[in-house]
């Protein structure tokens, strides 16, 4: 009986197949969005001064709801350590604890901004077939080209270190912001990626000449990662593999990505539908 | 007879197959461009002060012409509500009414800038085979990859929220413009899209380090949407489907995109060539 | 005999097949580069003040050499009007005349910067097989996709007009640079193309929110022209057509792009090798 | 015996096949990274003032280690001139000598920033099969399209010269930073590559209008290099040629890229495995 109650709770919290599970996920998503909004509004000074009490109370309400959810997740899973030390488990903990810590440590409340990380859960909630398929496609393309992109980024970093050092030698005397080599490297990255803030910009003729070369270089090599990913995506489009659309997660070990008609967990052998197996 | 008169008016106003219809569309296009120019010039202070009266009179002339056009459109269609609540109907109304409202509500005249939306009509007027074909091609490619791009933009937004929150924690003490989390998110978007205004820019070493990572990240992922659209366009080129070149719209329900040799509206069954059927 | 002399001059000046013709082109190229450098140096105040006389004399020497070249081109061609009113003829005239005009009209000398247009001639001089082939390839790809890109640019312009008008309504009261609709449209173009100077930037929360949408939009649609050209270039690579490597131009009508073994001008029937036909 | 000792040293220093060789390369890499870090930290004023002595001592330790490495490389190779005048030999010399020169010439120490160039050696150390394969792929794609990109960059430079001259004529009177033609060309490059610092920006209406055209132009032609590289990379993916994974370099002439099972140098005929051939 106790197991049945836990199994139902597990299905509601961890899965999105049943109406109750879907409702839970949607409510959770809205709570997360609301908590993000609260954190944002609190950081806006004019608003925080006017509605300070309202914000404080709302934040405590959401924190308490998140605390309940956190313990419900621990109770309803067979091996709690699986959840506690998982990616989402750590994020859930880090986004709930700062409010409680604020009683003991002044300023720890600002860590509440970490709650933004909970937004990642949006991807779990939106476990609709189409979205998974499409993002799987992108992920596979990025995965297949990650070594190419890694080599490319390493090359960019070395190039920026060299270019930054050269620009420091040229511009360090001027009043143009190249006050140290790390700052010059920062400038080289800002320029090569075509962001171009303009807070640091060369003043000497030689500096502007070299900056021009860097920009044209950056213009030319912006093509490389684009080319890599495009060539890979064009390949991916041809071989649209099978999708894992099953949203269940094992009540025992929290493993996911079960096959569409799986009855038992591929990882620990636990039945995925406890009620039926009773 | 009355019906014939309305049918002719309908053909002139709503279609571009006859010489009169083409002339009407071209004159309308020039009037729209002229009205946009007037709105622009009025917003330039030096010009508005010198030629205030000229601008005022011209604006009234164009507003009256637009009013005539609006009522002609309502009269010549069988079911006026179809036009009034259509996309173009609402735009036409919103771009004509502010001048009249300015008698009653001070300042409502500034809404006249909404007239720029009428420029959308340029796409209807330019209903030349080639342009439709080409833009159909782009539209189909964008349409086919809209879920992929949607997933991607959602990912970008979550990333910017997280990065903005982190940068707020690091830079909020400095005088570098990160005064609130929403502003920090705005900065993250400005940086990740490589726009880089420079009105907000990190001052601390740690902030610049994280900003560098964001930029290189942005440089890497600028490849993703490009790859998606390119792979799709390459596919589109192979399968250049049939084009809908028929510029007629139904005199009864204003439905468009009829087949090339259609005699009757696919939507309401009304004859598309009223004169002949008389 | 007179014809022979003119024919030789024509071959030296207009063609690059003979050693003398090649030498002429290379010397001309260096003269053009030198004249560009002179114009640049003269615009740098510190340099112009120090070496004013040197610059003045050098500029006159080059102007006189260009004058000789101009008249030689007119004399050696059978129908001078063909050259005088051609693209290069007009550029040659415009880049030579300002120095003479400076006697009569003060300030006309600054028009000498138009001499930069003569740099276009570099493409004629570099008539090497490989360069022509490669740039032909790019040109054909751009040509094949020019309607697609045209539709796209028109769409961008309309979008920028609408977005600029909306931002003007929102930000015009602030001290953020949105002083008129044309300036706001200028800002929209600066933002959508991800250039982002930062001289005009939104200050209000709503303005920054809409600007964020514009940037993400721009990030998404930067993919479109890239996709168009890439898909086209991938096609071009497959069908590397025959190249026009003949550098001769007709002594009578100055027509170019003759077939590789052409003996007579395809345009006017004049012999392309006058000496031999004598 | 002496030869054997040199051969072992050669294998440790120049190759990465043996455990000792790998260890040497990794230690060297860490030393290079440490030396870069030292140079960076020294350029940060606050840090240099506090820990000046520590930095000075560390720099001398690393310089002495680099000196030992430099002479070991000369001794262990049969033809030292091959190494001394090779690319890496010159970089090694230039990154070691400034510290010694600082006794005689004041300020030469700042040239130590050239040590960043030693980072290039990272590519030699990371001679793992996969990285070489992938970067070979990118290199071949860039190599195959280098003429296309060269033509493109030449075109960009000419365009920027012309646009810069035109903008100088328009904006030179204003206080907008267009003080000379070279600076205007610098601005044109900054704008066309979408970097957009904003230190120079047009103020006049005409200047902003032309700048808008340049930006939309730049937006359109950013597609060209991307298209070139993408089309090439898509080709490369199909024909993944054989890779040169042999990390040996000849003890006699330092030639590299030997075939996988090569016993003798393809360049000078020297045995690649001296111990065995003894």
């Amino acid at each position: 009986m106790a197991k049945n109650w836990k199994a139902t709770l597990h299905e509601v919290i961890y899965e999105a197949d049943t109406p109750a599970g879907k409702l839970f996920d949607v409510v959770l998503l809205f709570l997360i969005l609301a908590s993000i909004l609260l954190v944002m509004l609190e950081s806006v000074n004019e608003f925080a001064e006017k509605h300070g009490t309202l914000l404080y109370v709302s934040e405590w309400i959401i924190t308490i709801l998140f605390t309940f959810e956190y313990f419900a997740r621990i109770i309803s899973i067979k091996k709690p350590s699986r959840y506690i030390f998982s990616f989402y488990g750590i994020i859930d903990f880090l986004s709930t604890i700062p409010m409680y810590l604020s009683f003991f440590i002044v300023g720890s409340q600002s860590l509440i901004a970490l709650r933004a990380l909970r937004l990642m859960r949006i991807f779990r909630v939106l476990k609709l077939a189409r979205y998974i398929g499409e993002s799987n496609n992108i992920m596979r393309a990025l995965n297949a080209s990650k070594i190419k992109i890694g080599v490319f980024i390493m090359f960019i970093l070395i190039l920026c270190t060299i270019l930054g050092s050269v620009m420091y030698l040229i511009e360090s005397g001027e009043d143009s912001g190249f006050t140290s080599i790390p700052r010059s490297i920062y400038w080289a990255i800002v320029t090569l990626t075509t962001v171009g803030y303009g807070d640091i910009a060369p003043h000497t003729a030689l500096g502007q000449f070299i900056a021009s070369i860097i920009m044209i270089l950056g213009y030319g090599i912006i093509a490389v990662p684009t080319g890599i990913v495009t060539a890979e995506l064009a390949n991916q489009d041809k071989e649209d593999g099978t999708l894992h659309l099953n949203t269940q997660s094992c009540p025992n070990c929290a493993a996911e990505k079960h096959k569409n008609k799986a009855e038992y967990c591929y990882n620990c052998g636990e039945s995925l539908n406890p009620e039926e197996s009773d």
Side-chain angles (χ1 to χ4, degrees), chain A:
Chain A
M1 189 61 206
K3 196 198 162 197
N4 240 353
W5 163 79
K6 275 191 188 177
T8 311
L9 191 63
H10 179 271
E11 202 162 307
V12 168
I13 293 180
Y14 282 95
E15 288 164 38
D17 286 348
T18 58
K22 260 187 195 153
L23 184 70
F24 177 83
D25 277 356
V26 170
V27 169
L28 182 60
L29 194 59
F30 273 102
L31 273 182
I32 293 173
L33 288 175
S35 76
I36 305 290
L37 206 70
L38 278 180
V39 175
M40 281 188 190
L41 288 177
E42 218 199 339
S43 76
V44 183
N45 273 340
E46 307 95 73
F47 197 90
E49 277 162 21
K50 266 194 206 158
H51 309 279
T53 326
L54 179 71
L55 285 172
Y56 191 70
V57 171
S58 317
E59 228 155 64
W60 266 111
I61 291 171
I62 282 180
T63 303
I64 287 164
L65 287 173
F66 280 178
T67 313
F68 276 121
E69 183 219 346
Y70 186 69
F71 284 111
R73 278 183 191 277
I74 290 177
I75 290 167
S76 69
I77 203 167
K78 279 194 183 162
K79 293 187 183 171
S81 63
R82 281 274 171 136
Y83 164 69
I84 293 172
F85 299 109
S86 72
F87 177 66
Y88 285 120
I90 292 167
I91 287 179
D92 289 354
F93 181 78
L94 287 178
S95 62
T96 314
I97 201 76
M99 279 300 277
Y100 295 104
L101 278 181
S102 65
F103 285 126
F104 310 104
I105 307 160
V106 177
S108 67
Q109 204 171 344
S110 71
L111 286 170
I112 223 164
L114 289 172
R115 210 164 265 185
L117 289 171
R118 288 208 84 187
L119 270 178
M120 304 284 277
R121 204 171 271 274
I122 209 171
F123 288 114
R124 278 223 52 198
V125 175
L126 289 172
K127 260 192 170 172
L128 300 162
R130 304 214 302 171
Y131 288 94
I132 298 187
E134 296 293 357
S135 64
N136 266 0
N137 232 0
I138 298 176
M139 279 304 153
R140 260 185 297 152
L142 285 179
N143 219 18
S145 49
K146 84 181 157 207
I147 297 173
K148 274 208 197 88
I149 288 179
V151 169
F152 181 74
I153 285 177
M154 202 168 66
F155 174 73
I156 293 288
L157 285 180
I158 292 174
L159 194 68
C160 285
T161 308
I162 295 170
L163 292 173
S165 304
V166 170
M167 284 301 280
Y168 174 70
L169 289 183
I170 295 170
E171 289 273 338
S172 61
E174 297 289 311
D175 185 33
S176 50
F178 294 83
T179 51
S180 69
I181 289 182
R183 268 181 78 87
S184 301
I185 293 172
Y186 166 71
W187 169 85
I189 293 173
V190 168
T191 300
L192 206 67
T193 55
T194 77
V195 171
Y197 286 132
D199 52 346
I200 313 171
H203 285 188
T204 64
L206 183 58
Q208 293 183 342
F209 180 71
I210 289 175
S212 300
I213 294 173
I214 295 175
M215 281 173 236
I216 289 173
L217 214 72
Y219 200 62
I221 60 178
I222 207 171
V224 174
T226 311
I228 293 169
V229 176
T230 303
E232 203 57 56
L233 266 173
N235 280 348
Q236 293 290 338
D237 277 5
K238 289 170 198 156
E239 23 164 297
D240 261 335
T242 56
L243 303 175
H244 299 286
L245 304 181
N246 196 319
T247 63
Q248 291 189 302
S249 75
C250 175
N252 185 35
C253 70
E256 294 187 343
K257 293 185 184 166
H258 299 287
K259 290 218 165 187
N260 284 343
K261 299 197 174 181
E263 289 286 319
Y264 297 95
C265 175
Y266 65 86
N267 191 29
C268 65
E270 179 77 19
S271 168
L272 292 173
N273 304 303
E275 290 102 319
E276 295 169 23
S277 67
D278 264 7

